[in-house]
Amino acid sequence: MGEKNTLLLLPGDGIGPEVMSEVKRVIDWLERKRGVHLSVSDDLVGGASIDAHGVPLTDEAMAAAMAADAVLLGAVGGPKWDDLPFAQKPERGLLRLRKEMALFANLRPAVVFSALVDASPLKPEIVRGLDIVIVRELTGGVYFGEPRGIEDLPGGGRRGINTQVYTTGEIHRIARVACELAQRRNKRVCSVDKANVMESGVLWRQEVQTVCAAEFPEIELSHMYADNCAMQLIRAPQQFDVIVTDNLFGDMLSDEAAMLTGSLGMLPSASLGETDASGRRRALYEPVHGSAPDIAGKGMANPLAVLLSFAMCLRYSLDMAEIAELLEHAVKRVLDGGLRTADIMQQGKARVSTRVMGEAIVHELDKIAA
Ligand code: NAD
């Protein structure tokens, strides 16, 4: 297996390029100060690609994404392209990446930095030190299941149909992602389903159990019903380490977990595909936030979500866990030092621009690494 170091940057639209500049600043620091060589290339996605090439993602950019060890994306979309037909919109670029890279696992960490504990809508004692990850199955379940549709009923009225469907193969691969992730963390996985009322949930529970018992005996596996999990995330979120769940429940629970932190500009994510013959897993990293047209071009965007996405990329795709930790530590120290972009501003703290926040991270890296 060769060294994993090829990274494709897709800054995209709106604040995407602004926050991605700060990732480039950190990549430059890694090269100069730590001798970490990443083979980095850039391409267009979303509205930027529509303006330059007439399509939201070119075949060349798609090929570069397939060939890279990891892809880091900023954000796509904006009012300029809102009136385009659905098939030509900037978001189609992102959808094409997800589809062709076959990204079936979505990882959304919810981490509460101690300096930002007051940003959470929950009491500080409930969320202080929170560090959990939701693993959501992304390509199966009720959003894709057949039959689906709306049909007319013979006697009048209509019927809407969607089908919740999972195969053992789909359940096994997402269970493996969750267990491998937990191995690098606190070795606990909570699998979430509705096995009390759904057959697909019964199968989900049995198959997650099978994979964990056979392949990950060191992982402590528990099971929880989705409605209870929604409550437990508010009542006592610290009980979790890794939560694994299907597409529908994951859609909701990951947004709920994100709100525990209270700050959109701080949330990273990863989407993972299958591992290929060379041991490389296709992967796309991106902040949870969008292109924020309301603040684009003003130098106000928080670059920490994309920097934390880059840290996930270093850890999970480029086998550089130590560097990832260094970067996460620098983020923590900058926040502890009182610097804030506008979205996370608090009384008594210093409000800074996107660029100054990025420079402060590099300055902190310098101090930690000295
Ligand atoms: P958004 O996430 O772009 O913005 C929501 C609010 O949060 C805005 O007030 C924005 O200023 C603020 N915000 C977001 N990120 C921030 C950051 N890093 N720093 C400071 N403040 C930040 O969501 P939206 O307004 O619903 O969507 C805007 C555009 O982005 C739309 O075109 C939408 O389709 C697109 N979008 C793209 C993605 C993506 O690329 N993955 C995700 C969501 C939305």
Side-chain angles (χ1 to χ4, degrees), residues 53 116 130 154 170-171 175 224 233 313 335 360:
H53 305 297
L116 297 183
L130 184 75
E170 287 172 318
I171 301 169
M224 194 178 273
L233 275 172
C313 166
L335 292 171

Side-chain angles (χ1 to χ4, degrees), residues 15 19 73-79 81-82 90-91 94 98 264-266 286-296 300-306 341-344 354:
I15 62 168
V19 294
L73 184 132
V76 295
W81 306 281
D82 273 354
E91 288 74 9
L94 185 51
R98 287 182 181 153
L264 185 57
M266 297 291 304
E286 56 181 321
V288 168
H289 64 72
S291 58
D294 53 334
I295 59 164
M300 287 167 63
N302 186 345
L304 296 180
V306 77
T341 42
D343 58 310
I344 51 171
T354 310

Side-chain angles (χ1 to χ4, degrees), residues 216-284:
F216 302 92
E218 72 283 17
I219 297 294
E220 187 190 313
L221 175 68
S222 59
H223 301 275
M224 194 178 273
Y225 297 135
D227 47 343
N228 186 25
C229 184
M231 281 200 294
Q232 295 300 330
L233 275 172
I234 300 295
R235 196 188 70 83
Q238 308 267 8
Q239 70 187 282
F240 298 109
D241 178 21
V242 174
I243 291 174
V244 62
T245 190
D246 74 14
N247 203 345
L248 175 65
F249 301 140
D251 195 359
M252 287 154 209
L253 295 174
S254 61
D255 270 14
E256 186 187 352
M259 270 319 293
L260 298 176
T261 72
S263 7
L264 185 57
M266 297 291 304
L267 293 170
S269 80
S271 300
L272 308 178
E274 297 278 12
T275 307
D276 66 19
S278 68
R280 194 175 55 112
R281 201 187 264 290
R282 296 232 157 84
L284 173 74

Side-chain angles (χ1 to χ4, degrees), residues 60-288:
E60 291 73 26
M62 188 65 239
M66 296 297 262
D69 290 315
V71 179
L72 183 65
L73 184 132
V76 295
K80 183 176 175 190
W81 306 281
D82 273 354
D83 296 331
L84 288 174
F86 187 69
Q88 294 161 27
K89 277 188 186 296
E91 288 74 9
R92 299 297 290 193
L94 185 51
L95 293 178
R96 181 174 179 198
L97 282 166
R98 287 182 181 153
K99 184 156 183 251
E100 293 191 25
M101 292 170 79
L103 304 172
F104 68 86
N106 183 233
L107 277 56
R108 292 257 296 256
V111 173
V112 172
F113 289 89
S114 50
L116 297 183
V117 76
D118 291 329
S120 172
L122 297 194
K123 292 182 190 136
E125 59 269 29
I126 293 183
V127 292
R128 186 171 282 116
L130 184 75
D131 182 352
I132 64 176
V133 185
I134 308 236
V135 177
R136 166 187 170 192
E137 201 289 328
L138 207 55
T139 53
V142 72
Y143 293 164
F144 298 96
E146 298 281 348
R148 62 185 298 157
I150 299 176
E151 59 187 31
D152 292 324
L153 292 172
R158 295 187 300 160
R159 180 164 68 169
I161 305 153
N162 290 93
T163 305
Q164 168 79 334
V165 53
Y166 272 107
T167 62
T168 50
E170 287 172 318
I171 301 169
H172 288 184
R173 65 183 186 175
I174 193 80
R176 284 189 191 106
V177 167
C179 289
E180 283 166 13
L181 181 63
Q183 275 177 329
R184 301 183 193 211
R185 297 172 46 92
N186 293 321
K187 302 194 167 39
R188 288 185 294 119
V189 172
C190 178
S191 171
V192 170
D193 58 49
K194 284 289 285 178
N196 49 342
V197 285
M198 297 169 79
E199 283 75 8
S200 59
V202 172
L203 184 77
W204 179 279
R205 189 171 282 224
Q206 289 170 350
E207 297 301 326
V208 171
Q209 185 77 41
T210 302
V211 168
C212 280
E215 301 173 30
F216 302 92
E218 72 283 17
I219 297 294
E220 187 190 313
L221 175 68
S222 59
H223 301 275
M224 194 178 273
Y225 297 135
D227 47 343
N228 186 25
C229 184
M231 281 200 294
Q232 295 300 330
L233 275 172
I234 300 295
R235 196 188 70 83
Q238 308 267 8
Q239 70 187 282
F240 298 109
D241 178 21
V242 174
I243 291 174
V244 62
T245 190
D246 74 14
N247 203 345
L248 175 65
F249 301 140
D251 195 359
M252 287 154 209
L253 295 174
S254 61
D255 270 14
E256 186 187 352
M259 270 319 293
L260 298 176
T261 72
S263 7
L264 185 57
M266 297 291 304
L267 293 170
S269 80
S271 300
L272 308 178
E274 297 278 12
T275 307
D276 66 19
S278 68
R280 194 175 55 112
R281 201 187 264 290
R282 296 232 157 84
L284 173 74
Y285 298 84
E286 56 181 321
V288 168

